[in-house]
Amino acid sequence: MTVSDRPKRFRTPEDYALKRPVHAVWEITLSCNLRCVHCGSAAGEPRKSELSTDECLQVVESLAQLGTREITLIGGESYLRRDWTDIVAAIKRRGMYCAIQTGGYGLTGKLLDRAVDAGLDGVGVSIDGLEDVHDAFRGVPGSFRAAARAVQESRARNLRVSVNTTVTQASLHKIEPLAKQLVDMGVTHWQVGLMVPMGRGTRSEELLLQPSDLLTLFDSLVNVFEFCAQNGLVMHCGNSLGYFGPFEHLWRGAGDDQVHWRGCSAGETVIALESDGTVKSCPSLNADDHGFGSSRDAPVDVLWKNSRVAEAAGTADEDTSFCRTCYYSSVCDGGCTWVTDSLGQKSKDNPYCHYRVLALASEGLSEEISLVDGGVEGPFSMGEFSVKRVPIEPSKAVIAERHSAKLKAFPQAGAQAGIDAGDSLVTCKNCYCYVYPTENTCPHCENGLDAAQKEHDTLLLRIDELMNEVREALDT
Amino acid sequence: MNGHAVWYGPAIQEAALSGDVGKMREVATQVEEYLAEAGDLPAALELLKLEIAKLEGKTYHREK
């Protein structure tokens, strides 16, 4: 893959050094024709004072000046704004990749034709389960068929098409049939994430996964990943799913183990806007805690350059939570801020972590999350949750044992104190957990890293040699 | 994949399967194509299937 054909969203060392907002996710209206039960922004009605067309075009200009390479328009539903294709056209004039993320309800061929004329590059459609699950989740009968039609109509216009799926208790055991359906629909890119309790989602506690459900989910996703790989569907895990453990190497980099979770990018190389001009560090985060100001008060590039990312409460010295004392703490930093914020974990202690679930399971424990107070529902509102440790269910313990069959230990931070992970951790080719590049022995499976790498390389070389033999034999 | 992604918003729509898994899949697909075409199977083809299965077992971290 060369630099020119690398996805626009991929970040380079220069992007980090310059703190360049490579990817912008922009809510251009809060107006929505669906009533999704998980919606963090509780979308439905437009905001009281949404940006005018001219103000939007100025935002596009500012983002271009900041070096943004990809803009995703979201809502609500972006196409419920009359001028949405004017915004698309302005983004394309400035040479940026432009996609929309949509529920697809009412996204007709006619609307898509206008968008294609304006230069739209891609359409991301949200499909959260098979038809019954999806329609119940999206709150409108017929929404699954509308989403499927949006995929079909977009593909017919040669747009790049992806699907996002939010996993809940309703879909947890139905991910494999969903993958088959997406393959049948001709989808090529699929991102799977967790339902996070924010906004309207604080009212649907029964749909939330418990941390130990990650065992069931990841067990299924390993099979799904292989099925997808065999059928031309690239599956990724979104930011809310992770982190490390024995499967991280598969889905963060579409099979490239050099790509792994590297901490939340909110406000570092990603930027978000609300439809009234509020600029913030991530589309899913609350602007009260993560906002930089309004594009009506200052140009977005000025707000961005003056911004500071909110730091987690607590420091490594005084905070003894799992995430702060974990082996991966310096790289992971507690995973997705949206998840930890929504659970009220201000010190970024994240129970939704596969590695953490496995570590606790090795002690016979799991964590249980309960809603204490749903608060007042509104855009990006948050509830109050409790997290307590309980004995792990026997059926989950069996899965955990299988996932950690090769692991002998769950080391803590400390041995790595002062080690800068730099660009990448490396995988142990025995247990496939990530380790710091300075390690000689894998602290998880206790195998020699060099020996495991050599064995892996030998296997790859053997495959290459055999492939050549086969080619020669068939050519003669 | 030569770069660090931002798994944020919609799925990356331009990425292809990459790394060892991508290579393994590519080889496996070619093996299937050769199998469909070749009447008399070269022994190397059978061996190749075995070696790929071994690598899949390691990479996907489960018994094959």
Side-chain angles (χ1 to χ4, degrees), chain A residues 123-387:
Chain A
V123 177
V125 182
S126 300
I127 298 181
D128 298 308
L130 299 175
E131 186 164 357
D132 56 337
V133 170
H134 180 89
D135 280 6
F137 194 63
R138 294 278 157 185
V140 177
S143 52
F144 179 88
R145 290 186 183 196
R149 201 160 44 242
V151 168
Q152 188 185 13
E153 296 278 6
S154 299
R155 289 187 68 228
R157 286 161 180 79
N158 294 319
L159 288 162
R160 292 177 185 268
V161 180
S162 60
V163 163
N164 274 22
T165 295
T166 299
V167 180
T168 67
Q169 289 291 355
S171 57
L172 176 60
H173 299 284
K174 298 176 184 170
I175 302 299
E176 292 176 44
L178 177 60
K180 288 189 177 75
Q181 187 137 18
L182 296 182
V183 166
D184 289 346
M185 288 161 68
V187 175
T188 54
H189 293 79
W190 182 28
Q191 183 170 295
V192 181
L194 287 182
M195 175 180 161
V196 178
M198 177 178 266
R200 211 173 281 141
T202 57
R203 298 293 184 273
S204 302
E205 187 191 8
E206 74 285 357
L207 287 175
L208 277 183
L209 297 195
Q210 290 295 334
S212 63
D213 289 326
L214 290 184
L215 295 165
T216 310
L217 177 60
F218 279 40
D219 213 44
S220 170
L221 285 182
V222 172
N223 292 327
V224 166
F225 181 86
E226 188 173 359
F227 169 79
C228 291
Q230 287 169 348
N231 288 278
L233 176 57
V234 177
M235 191 202 91
H236 301 295
C237 280
N239 286 349
S240 58
L241 264 182
Y243 305 91
F244 300 102
F247 303 139
E248 171 79 11
H249 68 289
L250 289 178
W251 32 65
R252 200 75 59 190
D256 184 348
D257 64 8
Q258 291 178 54
V259 183
H260 58 77
W261 175 256
R262 298 181 79 245
C264 171
S265 298
E268 297 287 351
T269 53
V270 293
I271 188 172
L273 287 104
E274 294 182 354
S275 55
D276 60 2
T278 301
V279 181
K280 56 185 185 177
S281 58
C282 163
S284 302
L285 291 172
N286 189 316
D288 290 343
D289 297 324
H290 301 277
F292 303 151
S294 170
S295 65
R296 283 180 166 137
D297 298 329
V300 174
D301 48 324
V302 173
L303 294 173
W304 174 261
K305 284 170 185 163
N306 292 336
S307 67
R308 293 284 180 275
V309 177
E311 288 182 7
T315 67
D317 290 340
E318 65 200 33
D319 189 337
T320 57
S321 64
F322 187 98
C323 288
R324 295 301 122 198
T325 55
C326 171
Y327 177 77
Y328 295 109
S329 62
S330 65
V331 180
C332 178
D333 195 25
C336 175
T337 309
W338 180 32
V339 175
T340 50
D341 260 27
S342 298
L343 294 176
Q345 304 290 305
K346 291 295 182 192
S347 64
K348 291 205 71 187
D349 191 37
N350 192 344
Y352 286 102
C353 164
H354 189 218
Y355 184 77
R356 172 171 171 149
V357 168
L358 292 177
L360 289 176
S362 72
E363 299 170 20
L365 298 170
S366 66
E367 288 177 308
E368 197 173 82
I369 291 172
S370 310
L371 180 68
V372 176
D373 181 358
V376 179
E377 182 189 309
F380 307 104
S381 61
M382 289 183 276
E384 187 186 334
F385 291 85
S386 68
V387 182

Side-chain angles (χ1 to χ4, degrees), chain A residues 19-99:
Chain A
K19 196 188 159 200
R20 180 184 285 146
V22 173
H23 184 201
V25 178
W26 182 5
E27 168 208 297
I28 56 172
T29 179
L30 202 57
S31 179
C32 194
N33 50 20
L34 296 174
R35 289 295 179 272
C36 310
V37 295
H38 72 307
C39 186
S41 55
E45 298 301 316
R47 291 182 192 273
K48 281 180 187 161
S49 181
E50 299 195 329
L51 296 182
S52 67
T53 305
D54 284 347
E55 288 172 319
C56 286
L57 299 185
Q58 186 52 52
V59 167
V60 172
E61 190 56 35
S62 292
L63 290 173
Q65 284 171 16
L66 278 169
T68 296
R69 298 195 287 270
E70 177 173 345
I71 298 181
T72 303
L73 302 178
I74 60 167
E77 277 295 2
S78 56
Y79 51 80
L80 294 180
R81 258 189 89 114
R82 284 178 179 277
D83 59 359
W84 74 289
T85 51
D86 296 334
I87 300 170
V88 172
I91 292 167
K92 292 310 296 173
R93 275 197 299 275
R94 293 300 263 117
M96 294 178 276
Y97 186 94
C98 182

